[in-house]
């Protein structure tokens, strides 16, 4: 089966590569020529464990290709995955511009029945919107043919309102549309509109373990009302069926809300333990033991109970904001989520307060920051707590020395004036305090006595709770974690 993936970012590249590894023929498309030529020359634009090896394997097997030629990819593919970005608008709502553009492009280049699968995280109703756009743009480029009958199938609504219909319901055309139709007629083997189905298939992979997550998911969610599309989706995911992955088959609206509900719940769980940790800081309790005890309760589970500087990354911040905003547009004030969003922002400020508590006025002070990525095993710095904290420290007049195993190049693009160091030890050298901002494994086994000698004052602020407070104190450090001292 021929598959096109539109958008070759974290989700699109991983999805395309893993589907090729399932034995499917995959074309990954992106409008970013630099990204595609890098991939075509054997490079990989992002870091994900095992991704490079898997790309190489499937490219040499002839199952995986990369292109900027969207038209060709759409025409030859039966199934088209949309994996473009859905960033936040200024008001927090999801910006669907990229999705809408892709829907128009699909409508323009469609040449037979297609299944259009949306993998991007989107507000409820987006699958319906994609359907509406494709219907509209297909009908704009359709060639008038009195003998042709528009099929009344799922996904096609010939009766839906269209600016191109006259008062009597007969389709009318502007001269520019007719001109486009002429061009289209020459490139289309058969006449439009073609039948299609839109499926919502949200993605749950985590950056840093994306390949593993895609190939070992907790669940696959498929939102469709079309038995034909469902059958095709089940065929695509057959290797996961074989390993007993649970499938949730539902309608597109429910599938879209499942994704937001999962991310909002996880963001809430992180924020809850952060709030407990902040309380621990006030009363001298140990959040580590509290999280452990909570996690032993089977109803709670130990995952996402790690206190720190607040959630970040490309998903949780934008998806919580988007869900809150979407609920408002439906007339519902999602108070819990509002509290989570605001507490998460405050968490960054509390981390800076910790630095100030130990150093006083930060003007002219040098802070060493270990970790820039929003989490370990990724080079992604989108909404990274480390970056937000650095920006707040800079505002206070501090100087920053920093190190990250993978995310320094990305950080240099937005914060060129920091001192970028070769490793943890160069970062500590001459710093007034050392702050662990990302939970990289290599930060768990630092030569602490060496670090202590290099620091101007032996203060270690461990925002990821990687170290045992008693051990650090016995080595002569002034140590503070989040929710334990
Ligand atoms: P990304 O920004 O890394 O990649 C998006 C890609 O789409 C970019 O390379 C961009 O050039 C390309 N693009 C945009 N418009 C295009 C067009 N018209 N034609 C061709 N290419 C186009 O984004 P991402 O992190 O992969 O996220 C994609 C979606 O998946 C988002 O909705 C996100 O919320 C969701 N998601 C992300 C993750 C994650 O961990 N990153 C996990 C689950 C879901």
């Amino acid at each position: 089966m021929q598959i096109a993936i539109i958008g070759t970012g974290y989700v699109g590249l991983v999805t395309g590569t893993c589907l090729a590894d399932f034995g499917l023929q995959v074309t990954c498309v992106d409008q970013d020529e630099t990204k595609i030529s890098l991939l075509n020359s054997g490079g990989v634009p992002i870091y994900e464990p095992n991704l490079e090896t898997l790309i190489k394997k499937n490219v040499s097997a002839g199952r995986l290709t990369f292109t900027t030629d969207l038209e060709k990819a759409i025409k030859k593919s039966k199934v088209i995955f949309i994996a473009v970005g859905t960033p936040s608008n200024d008001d927090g709502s999801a910006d669907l511009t990229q999705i809408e553009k892709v829907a128009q492009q699909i409508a323009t280049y469609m040449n037979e029945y297609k299944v259009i699968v949306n993998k991007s995280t989107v507000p409820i109703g987006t699958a319906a919107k994609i359907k509406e756009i494709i219907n509209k743009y297909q009908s704009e480029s359709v060639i008038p043919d009195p003998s042709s009958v528009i099929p009344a199938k799922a996904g096609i609504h010939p009766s839906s309102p269209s600016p191109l219909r006259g008062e009597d319901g007969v389709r009318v055309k502007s001269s520019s549309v007719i001109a486009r139709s002429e061009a289209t007629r020459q490139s289309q083997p058969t006449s439009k509109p073609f039948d299609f189905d839109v499926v919502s298939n949200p993605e749950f992979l985590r950056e840093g373990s994306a390949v593993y997550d895609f190939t070992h998911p907790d669940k696959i969610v498929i939102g469709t009302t079309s038995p034909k599309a469902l059958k095709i989706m089940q065929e695509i995911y057959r290797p996961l069926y074989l390993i007993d992955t649970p499938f949730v088959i539902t309608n597109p609206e429910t599938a879209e809300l499942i994704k937001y509900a999962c991310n909002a719940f996880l963001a809430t769980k992180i924020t809850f333990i952060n709030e407990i940790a902040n309380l621990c800081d006030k009363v001298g309790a140990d959040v580590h033991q509290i999280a452990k005890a909570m996690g032993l309760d089977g109803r709670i589970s130990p995952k996402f109970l790690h206190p720190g500087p607040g959630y970040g990354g490309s998903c949780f911040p934008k998806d919580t904001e988007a869900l809150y905003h979407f609920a408002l547009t439906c007339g519902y004030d999602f108070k819990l989520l509002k509290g989570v969003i605001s507490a998460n922002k405050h968490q960054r400020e509390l981390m800076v307060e910790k630095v100030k508590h130990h150093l006083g006025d930060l003007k002219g002070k040098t802070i060493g920051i270990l970790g820039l990525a929003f989490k370990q095993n990724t080079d992604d710095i989108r909404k990274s707590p480390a970056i937000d904290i650095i920006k707040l420290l800079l505002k206070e007049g501090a100087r920053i020395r920093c190190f990250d195993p993978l995310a320094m190049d990305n950080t240099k693009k937005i914060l060129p004036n920091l001192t970028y160091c070769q490793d943890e030890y160069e970062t500590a050298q001459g710093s007034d305090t050392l702050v662990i901002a990302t939970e990289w494994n290599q930060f768990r086994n630092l030569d602490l006595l060496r670090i202590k000698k290099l620091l101007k004052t032996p203060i270690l602020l461990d925002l990821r709770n990687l170290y045992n407070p008693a051990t650090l104190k016995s080595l002569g450090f002034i140590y503070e974690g989040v929710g334990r001292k």
Side-chain angles (χ1 to χ4, degrees), residues 7 9-11 30-31 35 86 98 121 203 207 318 382:
Y10 282 87
V11 168
D30 207 287
Q31 63 189 8
K35 199 176 260 189
T86 48
Q98 294 179 38
T121 304
E203 182 49 58
E207 286 179 25
K318 91 173 164 63
R382 289 179 283 182

Side-chain angles (χ1 to χ4, degrees), residues 114-129:
K114 309 276 178 197
V115 181
I116 294 126
V117 185
N118 182 42
K119 266 226 163 294
S120 299
T121 304
V122 291
I124 298 83
T126 303
K129 193 169 190 176

Side-chain angles (χ1 to χ4, degrees), residues 3-25:
I3 310 271
I5 313 276
I6 306 180
T8 309
Y10 282 87
V11 168
L13 184 55
V14 171
T15 301
T17 306
C18 294
L19 291 183
D21 208 51
F22 288 175
L24 300 161
Q25 288 294 327

Side-chain angles (χ1 to χ4, degrees), residues 6-12 29-32 35 46 70 83-87 98-99 101-102 105 119-122 203-207 259 263 314-315 318-319 374 380 382:
I6 306 180
T8 309
Y10 282 87
V11 168
V29 190
D30 207 287
Q31 63 189 8
D32 182 340
K35 199 176 260 189
I46 53 165
L70 187 73
V84 295
T86 48
Q98 294 179 38
I99 299 259
K101 186 178 162 201
V102 170
Q105 290 167 318
K119 266 226 163 294
S120 299
T121 304
V122 291
E203 182 49 58
F204 298 92
L205 62 76
R206 295 162 300 173
E207 286 179 25
K259 174 64 189 177
N263 276 3
S314 68
C315 292
K318 91 173 164 63
D319 294 346
F374 84 92
D380 197 344
R382 289 179 283 182

Side-chain angles (χ1 to χ4, degrees), residues 273-290:
I273 200 67
N274 283 342
E275 295 279 72
I276 294 289
N278 298 340
L279 193 54
C280 286
D281 278 339
K282 295 228 175 280
V283 299
D286 183 343
V287 75
H288 188 72
Q289 290 179 18
I290 294 173

Side-chain angles (χ1 to χ4, degrees), residues 86-89 91-96 121-125 253-268 311 315-341:
T86 48
S88 297
N89 285 315
D91 63 1
S93 62
D95 175 357
L96 297 179
T121 304
V122 291
I124 298 83
E253 291 74 20
T254 308
E256 288 164 345
L257 190 49
I258 286 172
K259 174 64 189 177
Y260 273 131
C262 286
N263 276 3
F265 184 80
L266 293 173
T268 304
Y311 59 78
C315 292
F316 287 178
K318 91 173 164 63
D319 294 346
T320 43
E321 292 265 5
L323 181 56
Y324 178 70
H325 188 275
F326 179 77
L328 271 188
T329 63
C330 301
Y332 184 68
D333 184 9
F334 200 148
K335 290 193 173 65
L336 174 64
L337 205 50
K338 191 180 190 171
V340 167
I341 293 165

